Structures are given as C-alpha cells and as structure tokens.
C-alpha cells in the first residue's frame, strides 16, 4: 500500500470555542516512518499483533470491533452508548479514493450486517468477511490516518465541553504531550481507545473516562518525558475511577490489568526506546 502522510492541525476550529488568546500553530506533519510505527503500535494494543483479531465481536458487547483500532460497528437499526466509528472509516476510505470491498462500496445501509455475536461467528468463512479482513490487513496506514482525523476534530470539541476556566489548562496539557517526542501516539491511541470524553452516555456516576478527563486530571507539565509520564499517570487515575464507578454486574475490574499494560506503552521509558 502506498505510504500515507497525515497531519494534525490541532488548533483548527478553535474559533468555535469561547474566546481564546492562544495563537494558531502550524500543522504537525508526521513522516511515513512514524505513521507506520503508530499504526503498528495501535494494532498490537488492540490485537496483540494477531491479524485474526482485526475482526472480532467481544463477549458482553453489542457490536463488532474492526480494524487496528477495533472500530465499533453496531448492527443495522441499533445503537449504544459508545461512539460508532467503523462507518466513518468507510466514508474516509471513499474520500481517499481507496478501493473498498465491493459489498461495502455498494452497501446502502449504515449498520453491520450481523444482528448479533452468534450470526457474526457463523459468518467468519463467508466471502464478505474474508474480503473485509484482507482489506483491514492491507490498509493499516489508512486506518491510522482516519484515527488522526478523529484526533484533529477532538481538540475543539474538548474545549467546547469544558468550563471556560479549565480550557487553558486542557489546551496546555494537550500541547505538552503533543510536542513531546512520539507524543502524538498516546493522544491518538487514547482517544481511539476510550473516546473524547464528551458524550454523556460514556460516563458512570456523571464521570467520564475519555481524553478530556485525562487532560483535566494531568498536573501542569512541560513537553518531554515528564509530559508522557504524566499523561500515563492521569489516564491510570481516570480508568481506575471508571472501574470504581462501574456497575458491579459488568465486572469491569477484570479489564484494568490489560488497560494498564496499554497505558505503560505511553510512558517515556517504553515510548522513547526501541524505535
């Protein structure tokens, strides 16, 4: 697949927020090498590097999880509390003039064709599923670009959904991580992993667990290793709080060890070595 470059114009759309004093910054352009690296990191986070897990339907979930980012796809006619992201990948692919499997290119409805996990499991050897799996294996960089587009849109939305007195702090914490070596990876991965944090439906006891909550939890910090470590620390606090707030019947505590393994990839001692 042709290598793709992507850029994050992190200040675009800030005019929609309450008055801000910061000046706009130029786009951050990421090389094809970095894009490959980010795509591979996200792929390993979500699938442990197993291509078979590019298409899954996890237990206790009402949706399929597809691609390197395990993008959510609800069955046709259904929705849920979490942001649905796979239909957006389809539209993004079309906008980039990249060929989709024919059955997806010509599909007239938005939702997934499998009504439930049982139907999904039965379809694993169907031609459509095999074509989809191959497409997702061949377009990892495209998927990373799609994730970057989500992050680009996220910052103005975050600032619009926080109290005016907190906007400067959220922006500075975001920029401290973004300006750190390899800092786009934890931002991009986390917003894909746990969302922006702006949806009311993605909260327990009124407390969210998305990127906004992590940025609000961070202490002021300068770009560099300390910013990466502070982002990981704050994310751990936020996700631990989610577990404490979660309904007991969901037994979410079983997920925390795996979540912490993922957060550890954001820390400087892991992020800045082996690249």
């Amino acid at each position: 697949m042709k290598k793709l470059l992507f850029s994050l114009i992190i200040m675009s759309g800030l005019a929609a927020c309450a008055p801000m004093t910061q000046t706009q910054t130029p786009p951050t352009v990421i090389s094809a090498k970095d894009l490959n690296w980010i795509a591979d990191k996200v792929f390993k986070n979500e699938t442990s590097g197993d291509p078979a897990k590019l298409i899954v339907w996890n237990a206790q979930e009402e949706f399929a999880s597809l691609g390197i980012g395990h993008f959510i796809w609800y069955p046709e006619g259904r929705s849920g509390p979490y942001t649905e992201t796979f239909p957006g990948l389809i539209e993004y692919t079309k906008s980039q003039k990249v060929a989709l499997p024919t059955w997806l290119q010509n599909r007239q409805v938005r939702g997934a064709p499998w009504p439930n996990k049982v139907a999904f499991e039965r379809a694993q050897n169907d031609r459509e599923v095999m074509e989809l799996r191959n497409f997702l294996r061949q377009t990892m960089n495209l998927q990373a670009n799609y994730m970057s587009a989500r992050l680009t849109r996220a910052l103005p939305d975050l600032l619009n959904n926080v109290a005016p007195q907190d906007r400067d702090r959220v922006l500075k914490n975001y920029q401290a991580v973004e300006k750190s070596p390899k800092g786009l990876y934890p931002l991009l991965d986390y917003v894909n992993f746990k969302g922006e944090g702006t949806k009311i439906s993605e909260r327990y006891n009124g407390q969210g667990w998305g990127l906004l909550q992590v940025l609000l939890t961070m202490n002021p910090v300068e770009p560099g290793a300390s910013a990466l470590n502070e982002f990981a620390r704050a994310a751990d606090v936020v996700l631990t709080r989610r577990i404490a707030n979660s309904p007991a019947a969901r037994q979410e505590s079983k997920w925390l060890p795996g979540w912490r393994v993922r957060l550890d990839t954001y820390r400087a001692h892991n992020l800045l070595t082996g690249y």
Side-chain angles (χ1 to χ4, degrees):
M1 170 185 158
K2 181 181 178 180
K3 299 271 195 288
L4 297 172
L5 297 179
F6 70 86
S7 63
L8 291 172
I9 308 176
I10 65 169
M11 299 297 292
S12 64
L14 291 184
C17 303
M20 304 282 291
T21 59
Q22 290 80 4
T23 58
Q24 292 195 345
T25 58
T28 301
V29 179
I30 308 304
S31 69
K33 177 185 176 183
D34 285 340
L35 179 57
N36 288 339
W37 178 79
I38 289 172
D40 185 62
K41 292 283 285 185
V42 176
F43 172 55
K44 289 177 179 176
N45 285 342
E46 292 288 0
T47 71
S48 300
D50 184 356
K53 294 180 181 177
L54 286 169
I55 300 181
V56 299
W57 190 309
N58 294 318
Q60 297 182 311
E61 292 183 341
E62 300 302 320
F63 50 83
S65 298
L66 310 174
I68 65 169
H70 274 183
F71 308 115
I72 291 174
W73 201 12
Y74 287 106
E76 180 61 26
R78 297 174 63 180
S79 61
Y82 306 119
T83 301
E84 186 177 42
T85 47
F86 187 73
L89 175 62
I90 295 175
E91 294 307 311
Y92 181 80
T93 301
K94 291 178 180 179
S95 74
Q96 299 301 304
K97 311 300 182 184
V98 175
L100 283 157
T102 302
W103 69 274
L104 273 180
Q105 184 74 39
N106 300 331
R107 189 170 169 78
Q108 299 299 308
V109 295
R110 177 182 175 90
W114 317 286
N116 51 49
K117 179 176 172 61
V118 172
F120 172 83
E121 297 292 349
R122 287 175 178 166
Q124 290 306 291
N125 293 321
D126 290 357
R127 175 180 58 83
E128 290 84 0
V129 172
M130 290 190 288
E131 289 178 353
L132 177 58
R133 186 178 290 110
N134 287 335
F135 166 76
L136 293 170
R137 290 182 66 176
Q138 294 167 7
T139 59
M140 292 186 184
N141 283 22
L142 178 78
Q143 295 167 60
N145 266 291
Y146 169 64
M147 293 167 62
S148 79
R150 180 179 183 181
L151 182 60
T152 299
R153 294 190 303 270
L155 183 56
D157 191 38
L158 300 185
L159 297 174
N160 274 325
N161 280 276
V162 73
Q165 64 269 23
D166 292 326
R167 286 176 182 156
D168 189 61
R169 176 159 59 98
V170 166
L171 179 60
K172 286 181 177 178
N173 285 341
Y174 180 102
Q175 291 177 326
V177 179
E178 188 269 338
K179 292 177 181 178
S180 301
K182 308 297 181 289
L184 284 174
Y185 157 67
L187 292 170
L188 186 152
D189 185 71
Y190 194 88
V191 78
N192 179 74
F193 173 41
K194 290 302 176 190
E196 292 85 351
T198 58
K199 290 187 68 174
I200 299 301
S201 61
E202 294 181 350
R203 295 181 184 181
Y204 294 148
N205 295 334
Q207 293 183 308
W209 49 78
L211 179 61
L212 176 59
Q213 286 73 39
V214 175
L215 295 173
L216 283 168
T217 302
M218 287 178 65
N219 294 314
V221 66
E222 293 299 316
S226 58
L228 300 172
N229 293 335
E230 178 60 16
F231 183 84
R233 183 203 66 81
D236 188 280
V237 170
V238 166
L239 292 181
T240 302
R241 184 178 66 199
R242 166 178 165 158
I243 298 297
N245 287 334
S246 65
R250 287 185 56 82
Q251 299 181 325
E252 291 197 5
S253 60
K254 64 180 179 292
W255 296 333
L256 189 56
W259 290 351
R260 283 178 168 158
V261 169
R262 186 172 191 151
L263 299 184
D264 203 42
T265 69
Y266 304 164
R267 299 184 189 277
H269 69 275
N270 285 325
L271 192 54
L272 305 182
T273 60
Y275 174 68

